[in-house]
Amino acid sequence: VRAGEQLGDSQLANFLVDPGATPPAAPVCADAEDSTCNPISNVTVVKSADPENGAQVQVGQEVTYTLTFQNEGAGAQAIDYTDHMAGVLDDADLVDAPVPSDDALTVSQGADGTFSVHGELAGGQTVTVTYSVQVRGYADQGDGVLGNAVTETGNAGSGDCAEGSTMCTSHPIEEPPAAPTPSEPAPSEPGNPELPQTGVDWAPGLLFGALGLLLLAAGAVLVGRNRRQAGVENGEDR
């Protein structure tokens, strides 16, 4: 039997005809002594997430996972897969338990953060299993990455996603920003701690201006007095 992508109608059908009889236009599965039919199953399993695989998530955010079991073949196939959730449940809490979309599959919880999916898919049947988790607070997280994988039961599984794999997901958790450091108050002016700095130092200018005016006035008075005294000594009438 070929690989899934190389299959035709997913049936191994052949027949025996009497000499001279016309064979059917296409091999069909018929309940007859002169024919055989073996349907071929072709199951694919895909794990997806919302937000999509690789997206960064935040504290308190919910992530919804979906396992899709699709039988693209003609024959029925038993399903026995395990979803390894340890790499998720160390950073997040389960808020919606896994629920299958059809009774053809059932879900049971195992040890060490695993869920097992069992049942049988008929030819052409598709069943999904969906569940959700919520990211914990930063102080309660484990490694800070939501990573898991679904495998056939009995195979080792981990939260490490190989590039391009459709059977695992990974979501790094955004680290919250650090709390701001309290800033120190700006020092006040020496000798006047209660007044804030305004950016303009005009007091010295006013002081020097006032002193200059006083000196000019005193000089004018002194000059006038000297002139009057000189006039009296020279006999002038002032």
Side-chain angles (χ1 to χ4, degrees), residues 3-219:
E5 62 274 10
Q6 298 175 328
L7 292 175
D9 62 359
S10 298
Q11 298 182 98
L12 301 179
N14 69 359
F15 48 89
L16 179 67
V17 298
D18 294 330
T22 303
V28 294
C29 287
D31 187 13
E33 294 182 354
D34 57 356
S35 66
T36 63
C37 182
N38 299 95
I40 304 169
S41 62
N42 181 22
V43 172
T44 58
V45 181
V46 175
K47 184 178 184 69
S48 59
D50 182 18
E52 65 181 356
N53 177 35
Q56 190 175 60
V57 295
Q58 300 176 343
V59 170
Q61 186 173 353
E62 287 194 11
V63 180
T64 300
Y65 295 96
T66 301
L67 306 178
T68 301
F69 299 86
Q70 183 176 13
N71 187 354
E72 298 176 334
Q77 180 171 325
I79 299 298
D80 189 5
Y81 281 79
T82 298
D83 192 3
H84 303 267
M85 289 286 294
V88 171
L89 298 180
D90 65 333
D91 301 292
D93 297 312
L94 186 68
V95 292
D96 292 314
V99 176
S101 62
D102 190 277
D103 292 340
L105 299 181
T106 60
V107 180
S108 59
Q109 185 172 359
D112 300 328
T114 61
F115 295 102
S116 296
V117 182
H118 309 274
E120 184 176 89
L121 284 184
Q125 186 176 21
T126 298
V127 178
T128 60
V129 176
T130 305
Y131 59 94
S132 300
V133 299
Q134 185 176 41
V135 181
R136 295 186 195 134
Y138 188 70
D140 298 324
Q141 295 175 19
D143 61 358
V145 178
L146 304 180
N148 68 353
V150 58
T151 67
E152 291 187 64
T153 298
N155 290 350
S158 70
D160 298 328
C161 271
E163 185 176 356
S165 173
T166 61
M167 296 181 68
C168 61
T169 60
S170 180
H171 295 86
I173 302 173
E174 180 181 357
E175 183 176 350
T181 303
S183 58
E184 295 182 0
S188 57
E189 295 183 21
N192 190 15
E194 297 181 358
L195 294 178
Q197 278 280 12
T198 62
V200 179
D201 196 1
W202 45 264
L206 288 180
L207 179 59
F208 285 116
L211 289 175
L213 290 175
L214 288 175
L215 290 173
L216 288 174

